Amino acid sequence: MAYGTSYGVLMVVLTVAQPLVNAASQTVNQDLSNILNELWKLDKNRLSPGTDYTIDLQGKAGYVTQGSTYARDYAAKPLFSSVDEDKLNSITTYARFIKLLDNYEMATGTAEMVTTEEVTENNEFLDAILETEVMKRAHTYLVGKGQARASLKQFKTDLYEIWFRVYHRDRNGGADSSGFEHVFVGESKFGREIMGLHNWVQYYLQEKHKHLDYKGYKASYNDLPDSDDHVLNTQFSWHGLIKPVGSAFVGVSPEFEVAIFTILFLTSTTKSSTAVVNLDEYQLELVVYRHGRSIGTAYPKLLSSNKRHL
């Protein structure tokens, strides 16, 4: 049921193709901003740009419509010039996260066959992130809001349902998707479109193994990215399919992403939930779509960086 390399799919920054939003017009969710900034400060496993990894932004990508099969390449070299893989593999949450990336079929409509070994890997990943200060604080916040059970064992059961329950995304065939697969690994729709793939480790590994080709960054004329930014908009191709534009975190730990999207998922009830937050030097719109009791998709949409929204 694996595809690509043993590392799976490495994606860091992609969302659906949407125009950048005027940050000045957004209403900020201050309560959510406060807890996310707490988690940001607690994220001791976040990697440092220029030290633990280096990115090369190169050119600004052009406009491409969803479903296109061609995009002009404005980046001759990979986005990631280097990543300290020894450090990645030495941090338990990253090491267990990477083991999950080859557990999925790329195409929706193809049923996932979840093995006993994969269930064990899923549980070991959850065990690892629940030991971090990031997830402990996320749990106490949710308990305080009445949106999570106080028992860590029960909270882990709920996290498994949210992220790893396999469900039908395509009406044909068997259960073919999960929140984790969509958000962190990536999928293809009808062999024509990339869906999900919002994780930087997946992005890097897929780029390293020549499955993913970075086409350039996406940005408004007055909000150009820097090589030390922790959130980016990019354009890329993956297994020959084009992702016109998307945004994702870069360098953050897997527990940080699980924590923030779980918080938004559990503190809202609508099928589509969005919240504008000020996080560190960025203004983001966080987006979560529900699929029953599980996450359908989740991603950050970069509105402004380098404190330009202040």
Side-chain angles (χ1 to χ4, degrees):
M1 64 190 296
Y3 62 89
T5 70
S6 60
Y7 284 108
V9 170
L10 195 249
M11 193 43 234
V12 79
V13 298
L14 302 129
T15 72
V16 294
Q18 296 183 18
L20 299 182
V21 179
N22 180 4
S25 67
Q26 305 300 292
T27 301
V28 174
N29 184 322
Q30 195 57 55
D31 181 66
L32 193 57
S33 296
N34 291 342
I35 182 60
L36 297 193
N37 277 285
E38 281 191 54
L39 299 180
W40 184 263
K41 292 175 182 177
L42 289 172
D43 191 15
K44 304 303 183 184
N45 288 336
R46 182 170 65 249
L47 269 58
S48 299
T51 302
D52 301 319
Y53 66 89
T54 305
I55 62 173
D56 185 357
L57 292 166
Q58 302 167 78
K60 182 178 179 179
Y63 174 76
V64 175
T65 59
Q66 187 72 25
S68 294
T69 57
Y70 172 78
R72 183 175 176 183
D73 197 342
Y74 289 89
K77 294 177 288 185
L79 173 62
F80 286 91
S81 300
S82 65
V83 174
D84 187 344
E85 288 194 36
D86 288 339
K87 183 165 186 176
L88 275 184
N89 291 316
S90 72
I91 300 172
T92 302
T93 57
Y94 285 102
R96 293 188 181 178
F97 174 82
I98 289 170
K99 288 179 68 176
L100 305 180
L101 298 177
D102 66 348
N103 288 351
Y104 299 94
E105 298 287 349
M106 179 177 175
T108 56
T110 302
E112 297 290 347
M113 302 299 292
V114 183
T115 67
T116 301
E117 179 183 3
E118 289 167 354
V119 171
T120 298
E121 290 176 352
N122 295 341
N123 279 298
E124 288 176 345
F125 170 69
L126 292 177
D127 288 338
I129 66 173
L130 284 169
E131 292 178 2
T132 67
E133 293 304 312
V134 169
M135 284 301 295
K136 288 177 181 177
R137 180 65 185 103
H139 179 229
T140 59
Y141 173 82
L142 288 165
V143 171
K145 292 288 185 180
Q147 300 300 324
R149 297 185 282 182
S151 163
L152 272 178
K153 182 177 181 180
Q154 292 176 322
F155 184 52
K156 177 187 170 184
T157 298
D158 296 336
L159 288 174
Y160 200 103
E161 179 81 5
I162 291 167
W163 288 100
F164 291 107
R165 182 180 70 87
V166 180
Y167 53 71
H168 290 262
R169 190 176 294 273
D170 190 307
R171 293 183 179 181
N172 299 318
D176 60 350
S177 187
S178 69
F180 184 91
E181 177 184 7
H182 184 90
V183 174
F184 293 109
V185 183
E187 304 174 286
S188 66
K189 181 179 181 181
F190 306 130
R192 296 193 298 268
E193 296 179 18
I194 299 170
M195 300 193 302
L197 216 169
H198 305 292
N199 177 261
W200 75 271
V201 179
Q202 173 72 324
Y203 192 103
Y204 160 68
L205 291 174
Q206 288 298 288
E207 192 174 56
K208 172 185 174 182
H209 293 288
K210 311 299 183 184
H211 300 307
L212 185 150
D213 183 22
Y214 169 63
K215 302 296 186 182
Y217 66 85
K218 297 290 290 183
S220 60
Y221 72 94
N222 62 344
D223 199 14
L224 299 179
D226 295 327
S227 61
D228 62 351
D229 283 349
H230 280 292
V231 191
L232 290 176
N233 295 317
T234 68
Q235 184 180 104
F236 64 95
S237 65
W238 181 46
H239 290 283
L241 304 177
I242 303 297
K243 187 85 170 185
V245 61
S247 77
F249 293 104
V250 185
V252 303
S253 70
E255 57 265 30
F256 177 80
E257 293 188 82
V258 169
I260 65 171
F261 293 128
T262 299
I263 286 174
L264 184 55
F265 178 85
L266 288 176
T267 55
S268 60
T269 57
T270 58
K271 186 173 180 64
S272 172
S273 302
T274 62
V276 175
V277 297
N278 290 335
L279 175 64
D280 191 54
E281 63 184 43
Y282 312 100
Q283 186 167 91
L284 312 171
E285 183 179 29
L286 299 181
V287 180
V288 169
Y289 282 80
R290 311 179 74 86
H291 195 288
R293 300 184 305 277
S294 304
I295 281 179
T297 190
Y299 53 86
K301 193 187 300 180
L302 179 63
L303 303 180
S304 178
S305 61
N306 299 300
K307 299 183 179 179
R308 293 186 179 97
H309 55 282
L310 299 178

